[in-house]
Amino acid sequence: MFDKKELNTIKKEIIEKYWLNGFPLIPLVGKKAFIRGWTQLKPNSSLPIPTFPENYGVVLQNNHLVIDADPRNYKEDDDPFSRIIEDYKIDLKKTLCVKTGGGGFHLYLKKPPKIKVAAKHKSYIGLEFKTKGCQVVGPYSIHPDTKQEYEVLYGSPNNLQDAPPALVEVLKKRNTSKELPSLDTYQDDEYTQNLFIDFLQFAPLAVQGANGDSTTINVAMHGHDYGLPPEITLELMEKHWNIECSPPWEYDALAKKVNNAYKYAKSPLGYRNPKAVFKEKTTKPINALELLKTNFPPLRWIIGDILPEGLCTFAAPPKAGKSCMCLNIAVAVSTGSEALGSFPTEQGKVIYYALEDSPRRIKDRLLKIESLDEGLTNLFVQYEHPVLNEAGISHLEETIKSNPDCRLIIFDTYSKVTPDSKGNKNAYDNDYNILGPIQKLAMKYRLAIIIVTHHRKEGSDDILHKVMGSTAMTGAADTIWTLKKKRINNHGSLYVTGREVEEEDYPLAFSPSQGFWSATEKGASLEISKERQTIIALLAGIEGTISPKQVAEKLGLPYDNIKVIMPKMAERGQIFKESRGKYRGIQPSDIFDN
């Protein structure tokens, strides 16, 4: 540490070096710039060298690259700053390196001016890469929180090292953006209006003196982005949004904001509307004959009958035993044993994110389960995961790629990895932006990913409405499980439905002493599904026998489902199997004979 007089002298010298070597400087309050237009400042060493009694910022230009390392943002047991120095053989002593007041670093490098770089990189979480349009706190300023000074460790602003070309190549911004879908004409139907109304329920409100103009225009732009005519956007904003603003806009003033939003909108008309996405996807139809000739690999069943590859949403009431069930299933898949005591599994690695539990609790639960064997070497339990934003989903994909024999990943629970919702998105958008990419990962790598959530508090006759969250929780999922269990009762049921599974309600029993859920009757359901009732009714009205293919054609149901369901129905005595591939309805003689 320096005394005040020495510090002022050193600070003055470093400011002079910055100024004479092409760095504009600005005053700061703490770490924040408060003068307008600072991002556009250009070097002008002919002006007098400024003085800054308090903190100052160094404004970066196109030829600057500063690696900003903040240990508070590092992943556990990781030091990305040391790794990047080692990976690219950067000599700290040959360039300017500043230790920040927060315990991190500012490493100054030079780069080609025309190359734009990304601010972050998934391989170095916790580092920011700053260039034109950014500023960093200058040396010998004081950190507003720690009260520690920023100190030069090595080098000087007049002698910066060139950034390694390999690093610049890795950080280079690439044009990965795809052309957004669009609508050809305005849409004023009820469906499109409801999309906008749902958004308005969560949209930020205009507040006088707090950028109310820009907030209003941004909200109105969503009407454009859903494809609504401006007059409908105005009508819906007036009815569902304006009344909550402080103060509400006069009608004419609001109309002007809406017109400006449409006038200056940069995004394509209706690009947020699913109709636009459907339109884009159907512009290049697939020839049905070619599709029939395409050979697809058979569907992978992680747990027979109840869990195929893809995304599964698993909902249950609080304290109903869902975490015990998750561990039961994880053990079964990792060991290749029957899940819930009844369902066959494809053995493979399992990664269980027990985000609400401790290692002690997981150990206690494992000790209760009988007949554990060496297969548990396939089960990996973790207690943290980054939130599932873009970086978190990239981290998940890297984990999957590093474990090619992984068959199942469980997130218990979803709320622990949900990013903070953004003010300009409704709950459906927020959930779908998380679950949509995860579903694609599950299908891409052919494994199952279970997202655990809770039931809603309010009752509902529709079991899917019991799933907490927006409709994206069920809409994005390939399979949906809901656990039904009353308090002070060790019996319940697992309701299963989805795109590839047959709708069933499996009765279960829970053993507290073993911490184990089991199906009380293998393959039995509490109720006959509507699909089965339809098949039973059809066969009852037919004389003779019929094949699954004929049933599928008569009922307009997928043949792949029917050919699986009918043998199971015959096993359970719901229909009669006359001969290979031929079935008929149950007759009184079948009951007496059997």
Side-chain angles (χ1 to χ4, degrees):
M1 293 289 293
F2 304 97
D3 61 36
K4 190 171 183 179
K5 185 175 180 181
E6 288 177 314
L7 182 61
N8 286 337
T9 301
I10 295 171
K11 184 176 178 181
K12 182 177 179 181
E13 289 175 354
I14 197 77
I15 285 173
E16 182 176 348
K17 290 178 181 179
Y18 272 118
W19 190 255
L20 296 176
N21 284 278
F23 289 90
L25 304 175
I26 56 173
L28 300 179
V29 174
K31 297 168 63 176
K32 295 183 178 179
F34 62 90
I35 63 171
R36 290 186 177 182
W38 65 265
T39 58
Q40 303 304 316
L41 290 177
K42 295 181 179 180
N44 190 348
S45 57
S46 63
L47 294 174
I49 298 172
T51 58
F52 299 100
E54 306 294 338
N55 289 1
Y56 68 99
V58 180
V59 180
L60 305 180
Q61 303 297 301
N62 282 324
N63 61 325
H64 300 142
L65 174 62
V66 171
I67 301 176
D68 184 351
D70 187 344
R72 294 171 297 181
N73 297 327
Y74 292 0
K75 293 192 297 183
E76 187 176 358
D77 299 325
D78 186 25
D79 183 355
F81 185 70
S82 297
R83 285 196 294 107
I84 202 169
I85 297 303
E86 176 62 27
D87 291 347
Y88 296 99
K89 310 301 179 189
I90 300 172
D91 190 342
L92 295 181
K93 296 182 180 180
K94 290 186 177 181
T95 195
L96 175 61
C97 183
V98 176
K99 183 176 181 180
T100 70
F105 301 93
H106 290 162
L107 182 65
Y108 290 73
L109 300 167
K110 292 189 296 184
K111 71 169 185 67
K114 293 185 178 180
I115 294 181
K116 295 182 179 180
V117 296
K120 296 182 180 180
H121 193 278
K122 63 184 180 182
S123 298
Y124 301 102
I125 294 174
L127 303 185
E128 287 190 63
F129 304 95
K130 296 183 173 180
T131 183
K132 175 72 174 178
C134 300
Q135 61 91 10
V136 292
V137 179
Y140 307 106
S141 298
I142 304 299
H143 194 285
D145 298 327
T146 66
K147 309 304 179 187
Q148 299 296 310
E149 65 188 32
Y150 290 67
E151 181 183 358
V152 174
L153 294 181
Y154 307 108
S156 169
N158 57 358
N159 189 21
L160 302 185
Q161 180 183 354
D162 287 333
L167 174 60
V168 175
E169 182 63 28
V170 165
L171 299 178
K172 185 192 295 183
K173 276 188 176 180
R174 290 168 172 81
N175 184 17
T176 58
S177 61
K178 298 179 180 178
E179 186 174 347
L180 293 171
S182 64
L183 294 171
D184 297 326
T185 59
Y186 288 131
Q187 307 286 311
D188 61 358
D189 56 283
E190 183 179 359
Y191 170 76
T192 303
Q193 290 187 39
N194 284 337
L195 289 175
F196 188 50
I197 291 170
D198 285 347
F199 163 74
L200 292 176
Q201 308 305 314
F202 300 92
L205 299 173
V207 178
Q208 189 173 23
N211 297 319
D213 286 19
S214 59
T215 299
T216 304
I217 289 175
N218 285 334
V219 170
M221 280 184 177
H222 276 70
H224 169 276
D225 295 345
Y226 284 121
L228 290 170
E231 61 273 15
I232 300 296
T233 294
L234 173 61
E235 176 187 329
L236 296 178
M237 287 180 67
E238 175 69 18
K239 182 178 179 181
H240 297 282
W241 178 81
N242 190 39
I243 193 171
E244 301 291 336
C245 295
S246 300
W249 291 100
E250 294 291 338
Y251 185 85
D252 289 345
L254 182 60
K256 185 176 180 181
K257 303 299 178 192
V258 172
N259 288 334
N260 284 339
Y262 275 69
K263 181 177 180 181
Y264 297 108
K266 294 181 179 179
S267 52
L269 175 69
Y271 87 94
R272 292 179 184 272
N273 195 321
K275 292 182 179 181
V277 178
F278 179 77
K279 166 181 166 286
E280 292 295 318
K281 290 185 176 180
T282 56
T283 52
K284 296 181 180 179
I286 300 173
N287 183 286
L289 184 59
E290 291 300 316
L291 184 62
L292 287 172
K293 294 178 180 179
T294 304
N295 292 319
F296 296 103
L299 189 69
R300 171 176 279 168
W301 288 88
I302 313 306
I303 303 177
D305 292 345
I306 63 172
L307 186 64
E309 60 188 274
L311 176 65
C312 173
T313 295
F314 177 26
K319 312 303 179 187
K322 61 184 177 301
S323 293
C324 285
M325 185 178 288
C326 286
L327 189 59
N328 296 165
I329 288 166
V331 169
V333 174
S334 67
T335 60
S337 57
E338 288 187 329
L340 305 177
S342 294
F343 302 99
T345 61
E346 178 177 335
Q347 184 175 9
K349 187 177 290 186
V350 178
I351 302 174
Y352 176 30
Y353 290 101
L355 305 176
E356 293 186 331
D357 285 312
S358 64
R360 180 187 298 275
R361 191 179 298 158
I362 295 297
K363 179 182 177 181
D364 289 345
R365 288 174 181 166
L366 285 171
L367 289 173
K368 290 181 179 180
I369 301 176
E370 296 180 351
S371 305
L372 294 180
D373 59 24
E374 293 302 317
L376 281 183
T377 56
N378 278 334
L379 173 56
F380 295 84
V381 184
Q382 296 191 35
Y383 305 94
E384 291 183 348
H385 189 281
V387 295
L388 292 171
N389 51 21
E390 186 175 348
I393 292 171
S394 295
H395 175 83
L396 175 60
E397 182 167 19
E398 290 301 318
T399 299
I400 296 171
K401 288 162 67 175
S402 301
N403 297 276
D405 55 343
C406 185
R407 292 293 174 266
L408 175 63
I409 294 175
I410 302 173
F411 284 99
D412 183 11
T413 61
Y414 177 65
S415 62
K416 291 291 185 180
V417 287
T418 308
D420 292 336
S421 60
K422 298 181 179 180
N424 63 342
K425 291 184 178 178
N426 57 34
Y428 181 91
D429 287 340
N430 282 321
D431 285 335
Y432 209 94
N433 285 342
I434 299 168
L435 300 176
I438 293 175
Q439 189 270 344
K440 289 182 180 179
L441 284 183
M443 300 305 292
K444 178 180 178 181
Y445 294 101
R446 305 202 64 205
L447 75 163
I449 299 177
I450 297 177
I451 297 287
V452 182
T453 186
H454 294 95
H455 277 176
R456 298 179 189 273
K457 290 184 179 180
E458 65 270 17
S460 173
D461 293 334
D462 188 333
I463 200 160
L464 296 187
H465 288 169
K466 291 181 180 290
V467 179
M468 182 175 285
S470 73
T471 52
M473 294 296 297
T474 52
D478 301 289
T479 305
I480 301 156
W481 292 356
T482 63
L483 177 62
K484 297 183 288 184
K485 176 182 176 293
K486 293 182 179 180
R487 294 290 178 88
I488 323 177
N489 189 326
N490 291 328
H491 292 273
S493 68
L494 181 67
Y495 172 80
V496 179
T497 188
R499 298 184 177 115
E500 304 290 349
V501 300
E502 183 184 354
E503 184 177 14
E504 286 279 9
D505 202 358
Y506 296 95
L508 302 174
F510 181 65
S511 169
S513 62
Q514 295 180 315
F516 190 77
W517 282 97
S518 59
T520 54
E521 297 178 48
K522 184 174 181 179
S525 63
L526 296 177
E527 300 175 355
I528 298 178
S529 68
K530 292 181 180 178
E531 199 168 44
R532 292 190 182 208
Q533 292 176 29
T534 306
I535 294 172
I536 291 171
L538 175 67
L539 268 62
I542 292 177
E543 292 186 7
T545 60
I546 191 170
S547 70
K549 187 173 183 180
Q550 291 170 315
V551 170
E553 290 172 351
K554 286 181 178 293
L555 297 179
L557 295 173
Y559 170 61
D560 286 344
N561 286 4
I562 299 302
K563 72 178 182 182
V564 172
I565 292 172
M566 290 183 69
K568 293 180 181 178
M569 293 177 68
E571 288 177 10
R572 300 178 194 179
Q574 294 168 348
I575 58 176
F576 192 86
K577 186 174 182 180
E578 185 73 46
S579 59
R580 181 179 177 84
K582 295 292 184 179
Y583 299 83
R584 60 173 172 79
I586 294 291
Q587 299 173 0
S589 60
D590 299 323
I591 300 172
F592 292 115
D593 290 344
N594 292 284

